[in-house]
Amino acid sequence: MFKLLGAAAGVALATAMAVAPTADASTGTTTRPVSALVVGAYSSRTTTTARPVIWGIEAGSVAADTASGTYAGLAPGIDSWFGAQSSWSVNTSQMTASRAAGAIPMIAWSPPGTLTDIKNGAADAQIISYAKSLASYGHPFYFRPFAEFNTQWESYSLGKPGNTPQAMYAAWRRVFRIVRQYTGTNAMFTWTVGYSGTTSSLKTAWPGAAYVNYVGIDAYDWCTKASWCPGDRYRYKDMLTYVRGFDEGRPAVLAETASGLMTSGRGAWLGAALTAAKSDGLYALVWYDEVVPNTTQPDWRLATPSSAQAGERAALSQPNIASPRWRPVSTLEKYAMTANWAAAIS
């Protein structure tokens, strides 16, 4: 969908910056050892309905996300957006506004240049500048570079000239190391794949658990009528099963999802999707709440059709859906940083 749509952390950073740099053979650069920049002490992955799923929305702006959340009956605990395509700019004001609204920012980033440029260090100066801007935010955020790299529509998609799994592996590690030197553990790296993309090279492209906070999956139900494809729900499941075969226990989030149903049944779809996400051990579900002009895509917005509103509100009233209504953003941040609800509320 990406291309088609047009206080503990501070301690961790101080510790990281105190460790002497070493040579990184995988990227050909001298940087700090990953042991000093570890992603965090996550609890073991569990599948349970008792642990909450953070509710998120991507509607293009903080105001739009808040409005959609109000319409559906629950303000988002994650405010997601797509960073400027092929740009080194960072909208830190939106990050600050997200937190003020009670949500954790989630940024999908499509960096300029090629994977070869990035892995070979040609873009280091730009990445450092970008990382410094991210660091100025000063709070935890989800970071999704190279989202949906296993699809066909990104400049960095596997299979395009120079874009090998090995290049993705090295580029990811290089970006991780540089960004983490400035943001510390505040940048929660989310390795995101598209549900409909290739799986043949994913294991080779996997950068290792020490370089990933979360596995993200983007998955959509494109059916506008339930009768068209009744077995089409929750397409993330097959990809989740596959990735869990090699992800070394990293927690997972549904980083983009929506239903194209143009009926009142969209509310029931959302309710069932949230229940499935909890039972499958996901830590967040982010609804893509936009309409894409000049395409044949469904209208993904929660407000369409209006007959689904009651069902959407019922879906979001079920237990263990984390949002600002339930807990302050500082608690949601602790949960996101540790993937441990007991630790977050202690």
Side-chain angles (χ1 to χ4, degrees), residues 3 26 55 151-152 164 166 202 205 220 226 234 252 255 280 283 288:
K3 188 70 172 182
S26 69
W55 163 242
T151 62
Q152 300 177 355
T164 64
Q166 293 81 4
L202 290 184
Y220 292 79
Y234 327 131
D280 285 335
Y283 286 78
Y288 179 74

Side-chain angles (χ1 to χ4, degrees), residues 24-341:
D24 179 4
S26 69
T27 61
T29 187
T30 299
T31 186
R32 304 183 191 282
V34 72
S35 59
L37 302 168
V38 291
V39 294
Y42 286 103
S43 59
S44 59
R45 183 171 59 207
T46 58
T47 54
T48 175
T49 57
R51 180 177 40 70
V53 170
I54 303 178
W55 163 242
I57 295 178
E58 196 290 307
S61 69
V62 178
D65 286 7
T66 301
S68 294
T70 300
Y71 175 88
L74 190 65
I78 294 173
D79 175 28
S80 176
W81 70 88
F82 303 103
Q85 293 287 300
S86 298
S87 170
W88 298 111
S89 63
V90 180
N91 191 344
T92 53
S93 62
Q94 182 166 352
M95 297 175 76
T96 300
S98 296
R99 192 172 192 272
I104 303 170
M106 175 182 279
I107 305 170
W109 180 51
S110 173
T114 66
L115 291 182
T116 299
D117 289 340
I118 292 173
K119 77 180 183 68
N120 289 341
D124 278 4
Q126 293 94 329
I127 298 173
I128 289 171
S129 177
Y130 187 85
K132 287 180 178 179
S133 295
L134 289 173
S136 70
Y137 170 60
H139 301 283
F141 60 96
Y142 298 92
F143 187 48
R144 301 202 297 143
F146 310 112
E148 298 186 9
F149 66 88
N150 66 320
T151 62
Q152 300 177 355
W153 43 78
E154 304 295 348
S155 62
Y156 48 79
S157 291
L158 296 181
K160 290 187 176 180
N163 292 353
T164 64
Q166 293 81 4
M168 176 58 68
Y169 170 96
W172 178 279
R173 284 190 164 206
R174 193 176 198 103
V175 170
F176 178 96
R177 286 184 178 275
I178 293 174
V179 170
R180 279 299 189 87
Q181 287 183 32
Y182 295 94
T183 67
T185 55
N186 276 339
M188 297 182 290
F189 274 72
T190 306
W191 190 79
T192 307
V193 297
Y195 80 100
S196 61
T198 180
T199 59
S200 61
S201 301
L202 290 184
K203 290 181 182 179
T204 305
W206 173 248
Y211 294 84
V212 174
N213 289 84
Y214 285 93
V215 169
I217 298 176
D218 294 351
Y220 292 79
D221 179 353
W222 288 74
C223 301
T224 56
K225 295 182 180 179
S227 60
W228 286 6
C229 43
D232 201 38
R233 293 184 178 186
Y234 327 131
R235 288 189 172 187
Y236 72 84
K237 286 179 176 286
D238 287 345
M239 183 62 78
L240 178 65
T241 298
Y242 181 79
V243 173
R244 280 184 169 169
F246 62 84
D247 70 0
E248 303 172 78
R250 290 293 82 188
V253 298
L254 193 50
E256 292 179 38
T257 195
S259 167
L261 282 173
M262 293 292 106
T263 70
S264 60
R266 180 180 284 188
W269 188 98
L270 175 58
L274 286 165
T275 298
K278 287 186 287 185
S279 65
D280 285 335
L282 302 184
Y283 286 78
L285 183 152
V286 180
W287 184 277
Y288 179 74
D289 192 71
E290 295 208 42
V291 59
V292 186
N294 303 316
T295 71
T296 59
Q297 293 187 37
D299 186 336
W300 305 107
R301 294 174 297 178
L302 290 164
T304 306
S306 59
S307 60
Q309 183 183 34
E312 290 163 354
R313 287 177 171 253
L316 291 167
S317 68
Q318 64 177 274
N320 298 321
I321 305 299
S323 81
R325 183 183 68 185
W326 192 26
R327 296 281 181 171
V329 67
S330 57
T331 300
L332 299 183
E333 288 170 341
K334 289 179 182 178
Y335 182 39
M337 291 283 281
T338 63
N340 186 320
W341 183 243

